[in-house]
Amino acid sequence: MNNHDKTDPNIGISRRDALKLSGLALGGLAGGSLFDLVARAAHAADTCESDCTCAEGPSCRWDSEARAQNYTYFNRLPPFSPFSRETSTTIPRLGKDEIRITFMGSAVPPRTLAQRMMSIFVEVGWDEATQMPRDQFVFDCGSGVCANYGAMNVGYGRMTKIFLTHLHGDHMSDLVHIYCFGPSGDRKSPQFVWGPGPSGLRNPDYDPADETRGPEFYDDGTRAFCAHLREACRWHSESFSFQTTSYKLYEPPTQADWGLPHEPVPVGTDSPRDAYALIPIELDLTLPAEQRVAYDNPTTGVRITYFPVIHDRRGSIGYKLEWNGLSLIFTGDTKPETNSLEQARNGGDGIDVFIHEMAVPAEIWAMKSLRLNDPDQVPDAAVQQSQMVQNSSHSPQGAFGYILNQIHPRPRLTVATHFPTADDTVACAMRSLREHGPCYMGNNANHTADAARVTWSFDRMVITVSKDRILEQRGMVKEFGFQATYQPPPGTYNRPDGFDTPKYHYEGQTGGSAGDPYAQIDTTTAICPCGPDGECNFREDGY
């Protein structure tokens, strides 16, 4: 008897049978976890509870270390160089009618070195005068992604607009790095952050007679998150404010300029012109669908709307970006639900790129997390825990295949992300997708007319979209490089007087170069390059 067929003495049913009963066999949609068999009342609100049965899923191989430690498809993609010699900014030229999507992070925790957590960078069009994209956006910024942004030549000044799908650490934790170090780089303007409003969920521990149990409703929306982040980073922002943090030609955008749902107001007391101003744009999911507009810029032509998805806690959102007849959807994290499906159908017009999360089956998630290579070796408790997380939060590969097969017309490209991408996991997932309909991978693959083109994201994968084609490429980076090319703000190139005076500056002096790096430190114990007798202690030039 293998581990799949073991009977839990506390339940009296095998794990395999339990999975069948709850509709969780590979290729099924979603259902209750194994715990449902003993505590079904605790999941009374689960609309997926049923006794449906599904056929066994495909057999998958997990016995090859080489397949587990490589993603061959990505390695064979044509190269993309993020530093160009053809433009004055070194930003690779983008066609005036093209969108470029770069995956700076693509993993689900607890993935290690191969992939960072979630983040997508989107550029649209090209401005010949500035030698830059017409508009650009960050969608999520999970842990570790800043290394990929720098390697892919995206500096802080190009990351001013950050759209968060939800406030989990693997989707927002590198905001700390971006916010803190941006003003020391080329972001000399405020940091804008879009995200969900308060969840409105009641605190189950609330007791009006005991204030230590917390408030009845937590202020858990994006504005509160930004307000606390601003103060948490106070030491950093003050310590670096001997450097200039604003420039003279900057004009703060108004609500009308960017088509925002409300006026852009910084948290705290920072000037709306300063790079340490943190400006939340909170998105209200209670609005009618036609009013859910996050960004609608009449100058660049980009329109970004949002919609609710189902992930862990109320308030998780997905985004749709539309520009110049092209469109993409980024769902963020979500269990199978109908809003993403309807957004992808787009009223019958379809979309160009559909980016949706995908999870491996619960037992494989547990197996990989435990560094095993045989599902039979995975303890039942580990599978149960993974299954519980999946049921509340994620779309397994079979559900992904079902959803994709319901979208007509097909997206021109569907991207599975938030996935532990490797040869073995992708091969298994592709088998699940093909149980629901024909699909293929590749820039030039042969396929049937109704087949869906799919790909699995990987860090530094670049997808360029035009009306004529969609090209997948592989970012070629220098692992020992330093940072993106500095992009001087307008009116500051070789002009220190184009910057405003730093907060900490020499008394009686003003001007872009008058910052005082000694204003906040005590130098009485400092060791100087030269001693009082003129003897050289160490070279002042650093050598």
Side-chain angles (χ1 to χ4, degrees):
M1 178 183 295
N2 64 33
N3 197 47
H4 287 293
D5 296 322
K6 289 179 180 178
T7 297
D8 188 327
N10 298 315
I11 301 175
I13 190 168
S14 71
R15 189 207 308 174
R16 184 178 293 278
D17 287 341
L19 291 175
K20 287 180 180 178
L21 285 173
S22 56
L24 290 165
L26 196 62
L29 257 178
S33 71
L34 186 61
F35 294 124
D36 289 348
L37 299 171
V38 292
R40 203 171 276 274
H43 298 277
D46 186 354
T47 58
C48 291
E49 287 197 31
S50 70
D51 291 326
C52 66
T53 58
C54 297
E56 289 293 327
S59 175
C60 298
R61 285 184 53 196
W62 307 110
D63 57 350
S64 170
E65 184 72 4
R67 286 164 58 84
Q69 297 299 321
N70 287 283
Y71 185 29
T72 306
Y73 176 82
F74 179 76
N75 293 334
R76 292 174 177 171
L77 289 176
F80 174 88
S81 177
F83 291 85
S84 173
R85 296 180 179 180
E86 299 178 354
T87 65
S88 60
T89 56
T90 75
I91 298 171
R93 188 182 300 277
L94 190 60
K96 63 183 180 66
D97 297 320
E98 290 180 336
I99 293 178
R100 186 160 58 215
I101 306 164
T102 304
F103 285 84
M104 301 298 186
S106 55
V108 61
R111 191 64 155 164
T112 54
L113 294 179
Q115 296 168 271
R116 304 296 190 259
M117 297 301 108
M118 279 306 307
S119 189
I120 297 172
F121 186 61
V122 179
E123 307 159 86
V124 304
W126 188 255
D127 187 327
E128 285 293 343
T130 62
Q131 294 283 280
M132 297 182 74
R134 294 195 63 194
D135 218 339
Q136 47 208 336
F137 312 89
V138 173
F139 289 91
D140 285 344
C141 49
S143 49
V145 302
C146 282
N148 281 333
Y149 273 94
M152 292 296 288
N153 198 20
V154 179
Y156 300 110
R158 303 177 65 200
M159 301 168 68
T160 58
K161 302 165 186 171
I162 297 179
F163 290 74
L164 300 179
T165 59
H166 60 291
L167 299 176
H168 273 161
D170 59 321
H171 292 256
M172 59 68 175
S173 60
D174 259 23
L175 178 58
V176 175
H177 185 100
I178 296 166
Y179 169 69
C180 285
F181 283 99
S184 301
D186 55 10
R187 181 175 60 77
K188 304 299 183 182
S189 58
Q191 185 74 66
F192 288 82
V193 180
W194 283 254
S199 66
L201 290 169
R202 188 177 185 275
N203 171 16
D205 288 337
Y206 174 68
D207 183 348
D210 185 357
E211 62 181 19
T212 66
R213 304 286 291 274
E216 185 174 7
F217 296 92
Y218 290 111
D219 190 0
D220 57 356
T222 302
R223 184 165 189 84
F225 169 77
C226 287
H228 292 299
L229 177 63
R230 173 63 190 104
E231 289 312 307
C233 296
R234 178 63 63 183
W235 198 96
H236 183 110
S237 65
E238 293 298 311
S239 70
F240 273 33
S241 286
F242 65 86
Q243 303 171 93
T244 185
T245 58
S246 59
Y247 65 100
K248 289 183 168 56
L249 293 184
Y250 179 72
E251 292 292 336
T254 66
Q255 180 179 5
D257 289 336
W258 284 1
L260 303 175
H262 57 75
E263 284 294 341
V265 179
V267 295
T269 59
D270 297 287
S271 163
R273 298 185 63 255
D274 193 85
Y276 279 121
L278 189 56
I279 302 179
I281 306 297
E282 210 164 62
L283 304 177
D284 185 357
L285 282 170
T286 68
L287 293 174
E290 65 273 11
Q291 296 180 27
R292 295 182 198 142
V293 179
Y295 180 88
D296 193 359
N297 190 323
T299 301
T300 65
V302 176
R303 177 181 173 89
I304 300 175
T305 54
Y306 61 98
F307 54 92
V309 296
I310 304 175
H311 179 67
D312 263 351
R313 186 173 177 83
R314 291 177 194 167
S316 294
I317 55 181
Y319 293 101
K320 178 190 285 182
L321 183 151
E322 297 169 285
W323 173 77
N324 196 33
L326 298 174
S327 56
L328 69 89
I329 284 173
F330 177 48
T331 67
D333 291 2
T334 180
K335 67 178 293 179
E337 48 80 41
T338 58
N339 287 326
S340 297
L341 194 157
E342 289 303 320
Q343 290 288 327
R345 288 171 174 162
N346 201 22
D349 293 332
I351 60 165
D352 295 289
V353 181
F354 182 49
I355 306 170
H356 192 290
E357 75 125 73
M358 176 191 284
V360 293
E363 68 175 6
I364 304 307
W365 195 356
M367 181 191 76
K368 291 286 188 179
S369 297
L370 294 171
R371 295 184 180 273
L372 301 172
N373 60 10
D374 182 354
D376 290 344
Q377 298 174 354
V378 182
D380 285 351
V383 177
Q384 292 167 13
Q385 179 66 24
S386 296
Q387 195 74 68
M388 183 170 59
V389 173
Q390 176 181 290
N391 287 357
S392 72
S393 309
H394 298 291
S395 297
Q397 58 200 44
F400 188 104
Y402 172 83
I403 292 169
L404 180 57
N405 200 49
Q406 305 307 305
I407 301 173
H408 299 283
R410 303 282 194 214
R412 293 174 61 201
L413 175 65
T414 296
V415 185
T417 193
H418 208 244
F419 186 83
T421 307
D423 286 346
D424 59 351
T425 55
V426 169
C428 185
M430 180 61 93
R431 292 183 182 186
S432 291
L433 263 60
R434 284 175 172 161
E435 289 186 342
H436 294 277
C439 55
Y440 71 98
M441 296 177 67
N443 289 318
N444 302 301
N446 294 322
H447 59 88
T448 61
D450 191 47
R453 178 179 172 182
V454 297
T455 196
W456 275 260
S457 68
F458 201 67
D459 286 16
R460 302 181 301 279
M461 175 180 277
V462 180
I463 299 172
T464 304
V465 185
S466 67
K467 293 178 181 178
D468 299 326
R469 69 168 184 169
I470 297 179
L471 176 65
E472 299 173 59
Q473 292 177 277
R474 168 176 47 103
M476 303 295 293
V477 302
K478 295 181 178 180
E479 294 186 0
F480 290 85
F482 278 79
Q483 63 181 23
T485 303
Y486 181 90
Q487 307 295 339
T492 64
Y493 181 70
N494 285 336
R495 290 189 55 189
D497 62 343
F499 293 102
D500 293 324
T501 303
K503 183 174 184 178
Y504 295 94
H505 56 275
Y506 293 105
E507 186 175 353
Q509 295 188 23
T510 58
S513 60
D516 183 1
Y518 304 103
Q520 301 175 67
I521 59 176
D522 179 356
T523 60
T524 56
T525 59
I527 298 175
C528 297
C530 296
D533 56 358
E535 182 180 356
C536 180
N537 293 328
F538 54 86
R539 288 173 59 106
E540 193 169 9
D541 63 6
Y543 290 98

